[in-house]
Amino acid sequence: MESDVMTIREVADYLKLAEKTAYRLAADGKIPGFKVGASWRFRKSEIDRWIVAQEQGRN
């Protein structure tokens, strides 16, 4: 079963970013994520919605 929840490494790969950049964006609240203890987690569905919103904001 594939999980909808991604780690910082997985979201960085998905967005084609450095892990450090993904971490900074998450910490600044610029990409949707949540913390489990000290670790960031991201729902793929929310990241996909965020991508669409970013695309629509440019038009």
Side-chain angles (χ1 to χ4, degrees):
M1 179 168 70
E2 186 176 322
S3 174
D4 183 47
V5 178
M6 298 187 291
T7 64
I8 195 85
R9 175 174 286 158
E10 291 168 332
V11 83
D13 287 344
Y14 187 64
L15 295 175
K16 309 284 193 263
L17 300 171
E19 282 183 50
K20 189 173 184 177
T21 302
Y23 183 84
R24 182 177 42 79
L25 291 172
D28 291 347
K30 295 184 179 177
I31 59 175
F34 58 96
K35 283 189 123 180
V36 176
S39 301
W40 281 99
R41 295 291 184 266
F42 307 86
R43 289 200 181 278
K44 185 178 181 298
S45 57
E46 289 184 20
I47 295 296
D48 289 339
R49 272 183 258 153
W50 175 82
I51 290 169
V52 170
Q54 296 305 301
E55 291 172 340
Q56 291 174 347
R58 290 186 183 160
N59 295 333

